Structures are given as C-alpha cells and as structure tokens.
Amino acid sequence: MEDIVKKYSNGEVTVVWKPNQCIHSTICFRGLGKVFNPQIRPWVNMEGANTEEIKAQIDKCPSGALSYELQHDEAQVPNTPGSEIKAEAIPNGPLLIEGTCVVKSSEGEITKTGKTFFCRCGSSANKPYCDGSHRKSGFVG
C-alpha cells in the first residue's frame, strides 16, 4: 500500500494527515468540525480555527494519522529542559504518551505529535500506533 501524506498549512502550523494510518475514530471532526470535515474537499480547512485549537484537537488523534509541524524555531526542539513526558499504560489497551513526542519509523520518517497511542497488544495493523485491535484480540494487560 502506498504511503500517502497530505499537508495543510495556515502559515503557523502545518497539519500532516496520513490517511493509511487513520482508524476513522471520528474524534477530529466531532471535536473540531469547522476544521475537519470529511464531507468537503479539501477536508481540512485551516481557516476554521486558530492554531492552538487545531493543535489541541490533533493531540487527541488516537492513531497518529494527524500530526502537526510548527513553522517557527520551537518545532526544532522536541523537548526543552524540564519539560515532562507522561507515559500511561491504558488498562487492556494502548500505551499513551503525552508531551512532545518524536517518532521515527523503520523507514526513517519522523513524525512529531503531542499525544500518541502506541500498540501494546501486538495486533495493530498500524504499528507502532494503536488501531483499536486490542478490543478484538481480547488483550489483557
């Protein structure tokens, strides 16, 4: 399957969407429908909200299909001294990482997210990200 990457920018932040990674949780458009609307094309309207609102909604994406890149120097520094990264094993589910997280794929592609759900069950078709397969596989942990 070809890796498709779409980018949408408002000059401050660029939304990066990887449709093949999306698990269609609908969190994006239910939470910020003025920006994310799958009924129109392009489905991302960067004028629908401010940068902080867009970043906050993207941080809720459970699959990592949505991420963002900042257009200023802060984007180059993944963590500043004293910043915290929170890791939490969700009962019978994924590993939740909160804080600026830089993920490097086996192909060398780098994605930066604020909230990431990693697979713990081993059943995800979207590794290292959770795609909800733990529910079907009966994962306990």
Side-chain angles (χ1 to χ4, degrees):
M1 185 183 306
E2 180 185 342
D3 284 335
I4 299 169
V5 177
K6 304 264 183 169
K7 295 186 177 189
Y8 310 88
S9 183
N10 66 5
E12 292 179 8
V13 65
T14 299
V15 172
V16 179
W17 180 50
K18 298 177 183 175
N20 294 340
Q21 197 168 312
C22 185
I23 62 170
H24 307 288
S25 69
T26 70
I27 290 172
C28 55
F29 66 83
R30 282 189 288 131
L32 196 58
K34 291 183 274 183
V35 174
F36 303 103
N37 184 342
Q39 302 301 315
I40 61 173
R41 296 292 179 262
W43 81 285
V44 178
N45 171 19
M46 295 300 290
E47 304 305 315
N50 67 44
T51 295
E52 291 307 312
E53 291 172 309
I54 293 169
K55 287 171 36 184
Q57 190 62 44
I58 289 172
D59 287 343
K60 297 174 185 173
C61 179
S63 67
L66 285 172
S67 61
Y68 58 85
E69 300 168 350
L70 298 174
Q71 307 318 117
H72 51 78
D73 291 339
E74 278 183 38
Q76 305 304 315
V77 182
N79 289 300
T80 56
S83 64
E84 288 188 6
I85 304 261
K86 177 184 172 189
E88 177 185 352
I90 306 296
N92 306 322
L95 177 65
L96 165 62
I97 303 292
E98 291 184 283
T100 302
C101 181
V102 178
V103 181
K104 185 175 181 182
S105 74
S106 56
E107 292 82 30
E109 182 179 333
I110 295 176
T111 303
K112 192 178 299 185
T113 64
K115 182 185 270 188
T116 306
F117 293 85
F118 289 113
C119 176
R120 289 196 308 139
C121 72
S123 299
S124 175
N126 190 30
K127 291 180 189 81
Y129 304 102
C130 174
D131 69 359
S133 294
H134 56 275
R135 291 183 207 109
K136 295 177 196 159
S137 71
F139 174 72
V140 176

